[in-house]
């Protein structure tokens, strides 16, 4: 079915709102929760806003449940079947002559057919919420509703701010809300975060990339994370992720990542010394590499698979491997306090991306543009393979790149042994 289901709030929705117990006379407190509901011949919508009227500068959590209206009673679903295959975005437009616009991708929530968004606004008044998307079973979805920040009671007649033709890129979370939650819940004494003794603004990327979303919250927040709602947890995880250079900042299509630790063998060390005259100390020869795979089913943070989990590792689609990421550091140069080097597949390992930042988590935009001059360059054990990149950065990046390529090669060799072992087992079955 490919029909557009458009709901006008200026009629049915507002009549439902103002004839319910939610309406309060002037001087009474604003409602704790605002609800809208509407049904067409094919779809039923239930919208919930918490709090009903958010304070200016605070966050409103919005959930929408979408169901198919069934023609007859179903033994499992009754008269309404949840639509759980929708891909939705929500656009919040503030009132005023110069309206602000925020766009969110929906979080698919645990309850079937339910999707969530969060928004923080500094503008007082009635905002417009435009929800749009597509369901493979029900076609296009369009829905709009008023959201109030700091205004109660709401006026009897509302003209919603129009949705602009051009909107900003949709985000997966409300980062301001995530920051506020981190200030409230994040630990202040994390060994893998800076600064110490206060709310972190920098988290070691290598540490964060090796954790699942729940693991990251557990490490940074601790037991306090158990009290968070789904939407709060999503905002907090995305904000904490922003304090690190995540895998998806190198490979946007990353759906699964497998961390693996390798110590460079004597052959790798010989090649590096011959190519760059590097003589690594004993504490400089072990690296963690993040092997990145595409997973179209995962639309959120990459899933993390342990290297020693032979079952999950065996289930990986090897044809979906995208490349490798290794995090390095040059503490003598503040702008290279942390460097992430991402390379493509064997046998050449071309550079996909190089990013760097200081110990405050700040990234020098000019420097990082120069680093991207190395994109597409690089070849295993070839010290001349970066010669077309930024001249001023070649000496700094070349040893890092060649080291990353050696680490990736060690994984590739181990992967071949693993695959051959699997093939031998299959032949015995």
């Amino acid at each position: 079915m490919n029909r557009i289901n458009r709901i006008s709030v200026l009629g049915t929705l507002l009549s439902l709102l103002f004839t319910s117990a939610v309406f309060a006379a002037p001087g009474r407190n604003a409602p704790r929760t605002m609800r809208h509901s509407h049904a067409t011949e094919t779809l039923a919508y239930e919208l919930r806003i918490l709090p009903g009227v958010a304070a200016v500068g605070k966050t409103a959590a919005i959930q929408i449940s979408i169901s198919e209206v069934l023609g007859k009673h179903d033994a499992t679903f009754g008269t309404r079947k949840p639509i759980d295959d929708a891909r939705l975005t929500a656009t919040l437009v503030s009132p005023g002559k110069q309206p602000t616009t925020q766009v969110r991708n929906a979080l698919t929530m645990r309850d079937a057919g339910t999707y969530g968004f969060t928004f923080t606004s500094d503008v007082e008044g009635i905002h417009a919420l435009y929800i749009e998307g597509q369901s493979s079973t029900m076609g296009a979805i369009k829905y709009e509703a008023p959201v109030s920040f700091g205004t109660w009671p709401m006026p009897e007649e509302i003209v919603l701010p129009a949705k602009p033709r051009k909107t900003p890129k949709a985000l997966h979370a409300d980062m301001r809300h995530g920051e506020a939650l981190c200030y409230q819940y994040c630990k202040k004494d994390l060994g893998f975060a800076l600064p110490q003794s206060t709310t972190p603004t920098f988290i070691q990327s290598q540490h964060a990339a090796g954790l699942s979303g729940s693991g990251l919250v557990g490490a940074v927040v601790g037991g306090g994370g158990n009290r968070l709602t789904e939407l709060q947890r999503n905002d907090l995880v995305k904000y904490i992720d922003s304090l690190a250079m995540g895998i998806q900042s190198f490979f946007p299509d990353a759906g699964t990542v497998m961390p693996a630790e390798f110590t460079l063998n004597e052959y790798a060390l010989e090649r590096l010394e011959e190519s760059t005259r590097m003589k690594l100390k004993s504490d400089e020869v072990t690296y963690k590499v993040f092997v990145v795979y595409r997973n179209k089913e995962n639309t959120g943070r990459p899933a993390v698979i342990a290297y020693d989990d032979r079952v999950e590792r065996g289930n990986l689609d090897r044809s979906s491997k995208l490349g490798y990421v290794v995090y390095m550091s040059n503490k003598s140069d503040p702008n290279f306090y942390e460097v992430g080097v991402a390379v493509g597949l064997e046998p050449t390992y071309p550079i996909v991306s190089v990013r760097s930042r200081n110990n405050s988590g700040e990234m020098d935009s000019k420097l990082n543009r120069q680093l991207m001059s190395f994109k597409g360059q690089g070849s295993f054990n070839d010290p001349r393979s970066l010669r077309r990149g930024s001249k001023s950065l070649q000496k700094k990046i070349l040893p890092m790149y060649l080291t990353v390529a050696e680490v990736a090669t060690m994984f590739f060799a181990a992967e071949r042994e693993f695959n051959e072992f699997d093939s031998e087992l299959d032949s015995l079955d």
Side-chain angles (χ1 to χ4, degrees), residues 237-312:
V237 167
K238 292 296 191 297
Y239 175 72
I240 294 173
D241 262 341
S242 75
L243 305 182
M245 293 190 295
I247 297 297
Q248 287 175 322
S249 66
F250 300 95
F251 291 100
D253 294 335
T256 303
V257 61
M258 180 169 60
E261 192 168 271
F262 291 95
T263 298
L264 297 176
N265 58 29
E266 59 181 312
Y267 303 109
L269 294 175
E270 287 176 2
R271 285 192 292 266
L272 289 173
E273 184 175 355
E274 182 178 336
S275 298
T276 65
R277 299 181 181 177
M278 285 189 351
K279 289 187 177 182
L280 298 176
K281 300 177 183 177
S282 59
D283 61 347
E284 298 175 331
V285 296
T286 300
Y287 295 88
K288 182 173 287 188
V289 59
F290 295 87
V291 191
V292 186
Y293 299 82
R294 181 185 289 106
N295 184 345
K296 293 181 179 179
E297 295 180 0
N298 182 10
T299 58
R301 195 173 191 273
V304 180
I305 291 179
Y307 180 67
D308 56 2
D309 187 335
R310 300 187 67 86
V311 175
E312 289 295 331

Side-chain angles (χ1 to χ4, degrees), residues 11 13 45 151 189 216 230 298 354 365 382 393 404:
L13 278 179
Y45 301 86
T151 297
D189 57 350
L216 186 62
E230 287 180 81
N298 182 10
V354 184
S365 58
D382 182 356
L393 294 175
V404 171

Side-chain angles (χ1 to χ4, degrees), residues 1-8 38 40-43 45 66 131-135 137-144:
M1 185 180 300
N2 187 22
R3 65 177 64 193
I4 295 177
N5 297 278
R6 184 176 180 85
I7 309 305
S8 172
H38 186 83
T40 69
E41 293 181 356
T42 55
L43 290 176
Y45 301 86
I66 308 174
I131 297 176
E132 300 171 286
Q134 191 77 21
S135 161
T137 56
M138 299 303 295
I141 294 172
K142 286 181 179 287
Y143 190 93
E144 56 191 56

Side-chain angles (χ1 to χ4, degrees), residues 173-370:
D174 184 330
M175 301 303 282
R176 283 183 60 185
H177 187 218
E179 183 177 10
L181 290 168
C182 188
Y183 182 82
Q184 182 178 359
Y185 290 107
C186 288
K187 297 177 183 178
K188 309 297 190 290
D189 57 350
L190 299 169
F192 52 85
L194 294 171
Q196 291 289 298
S197 303
T198 188
T199 304
T201 59
F202 176 103
I203 291 179
Q204 290 178 7
S205 300
Q206 178 172 290
H207 191 92
L211 296 173
S212 64
S214 59
L216 186 62
V217 171
V220 177
V221 175
N226 297 330
R227 299 190 297 270
L228 298 172
T229 66
E230 287 180 81
L231 288 170
Q232 286 175 327
R233 179 179 291 272
N234 179 68
D235 287 350
L236 182 56
V237 167
K238 292 296 191 297
Y239 175 72
I240 294 173
D241 262 341
S242 75
L243 305 182
M245 293 190 295
I247 297 297
Q248 287 175 322
S249 66
F250 300 95
F251 291 100
D253 294 335
T256 303
V257 61
M258 180 169 60
E261 192 168 271
F262 291 95
T263 298
L264 297 176
N265 58 29
E266 59 181 312
Y267 303 109
L269 294 175
E270 287 176 2
R271 285 192 292 266
L272 289 173
E273 184 175 355
E274 182 178 336
S275 298
T276 65
R277 299 181 181 177
M278 285 189 351
K279 289 187 177 182
L280 298 176
K281 300 177 183 177
S282 59
D283 61 347
E284 298 175 331
V285 296
T286 300
Y287 295 88
K288 182 173 287 188
V289 59
F290 295 87
V291 191
V292 186
Y293 299 82
R294 181 185 289 106
N295 184 345
K296 293 181 179 179
E297 295 180 0
N298 182 10
T299 58
R301 195 173 191 273
V304 180
I305 291 179
Y307 180 67
D308 56 2
D309 187 335
R310 300 187 67 86
V311 175
E312 289 295 331
R313 184 177 167 190
N315 290 333
L316 286 171
D317 181 0
R318 296 171 190 124
S319 65
S320 68
K321 188 167 73 171
L322 297 173
Y324 308 85
V325 178
V326 176
Y327 297 99
M328 313 184 84
S329 180
N330 183 345
K331 300 287 177 38
S332 63
D333 187 332
N335 284 322
F336 285 86
Y337 186 87
E338 185 178 73
V339 185
V341 181
V343 299
L345 300 177
E346 46 282 328
T348 56
Y349 308 105
I351 290 177
V352 172
S353 178
V354 184
R355 309 180 79 215
S356 75
R357 60 181 187 153
N358 63 24
N359 62 0
S360 296
E362 298 169 346
M363 303 181 72
D364 184 309
S365 58
K366 180 180 178 181
L367 172 61
N368 278 275
R369 283 196 299 271
Q370 290 178 299

Side-chain angles (χ1 to χ4, degrees), residues 51-246:
V53 178
V56 175
K58 298 296 184 181
T59 303
I62 302 168
Q63 296 182 29
I64 185 168
S65 298
I66 308 174
S67 303
E68 179 186 0
V69 177
L70 302 177
K72 58 182 179 179
H73 188 275
D74 182 89
T76 301
F77 302 108
T79 59
R80 295 184 177 184
K81 180 182 178 181
I83 303 300
D84 55 9
D85 65 350
R87 293 289 181 264
L88 303 176
T89 59
T91 302
L92 187 76
V93 184
S94 73
K97 294 181 178 180
Q98 295 182 321
T100 60
T101 304
Q102 303 177 55
V103 187
R104 300 279 183 269
N105 288 310
L107 174 68
T108 302
M109 306 189 74
R110 284 192 294 267
D111 291 342
T114 301
Y115 307 86
F117 318 86
T118 51
F119 290 99
T120 303
S121 178
D122 292 323
V123 181
E124 182 177 358
I126 309 302
H127 297 53
L129 177 71
Y130 296 95
I131 297 176
E132 300 171 286
Q134 191 77 21
S135 161
S136 60
T137 56
M138 299 303 295
I141 294 172
K142 286 181 179 287
Y143 190 93
E144 56 191 56
V147 179
S148 176
F149 283 85
T151 297
W152 186 260
M154 295 169 71
E156 293 186 8
E157 294 186 6
I158 297 176
V159 177
L160 293 180
K163 181 184 175 184
R165 292 182 180 178
K166 293 185 178 181
T167 59
K169 181 181 178 180
L171 302 179
H172 290 281
D174 184 330
M175 301 303 282
R176 283 183 60 185
H177 187 218
E179 183 177 10
L181 290 168
C182 188
Y183 182 82
Q184 182 178 359
Y185 290 107
C186 288
K187 297 177 183 178
K188 309 297 190 290
D189 57 350
L190 299 169
F192 52 85
L194 294 171
Q196 291 289 298
S197 303
T198 188
T199 304
T201 59
F202 176 103
I203 291 179
Q204 290 178 7
S205 300
Q206 178 172 290
H207 191 92
L211 296 173
S212 64
S214 59
L216 186 62
V217 171
V220 177
V221 175
N226 297 330
R227 299 190 297 270
L228 298 172
T229 66
E230 287 180 81
L231 288 170
Q232 286 175 327
R233 179 179 291 272
N234 179 68
D235 287 350
L236 182 56
V237 167
K238 292 296 191 297
Y239 175 72
I240 294 173
D241 262 341
S242 75
L243 305 182
M245 293 190 295

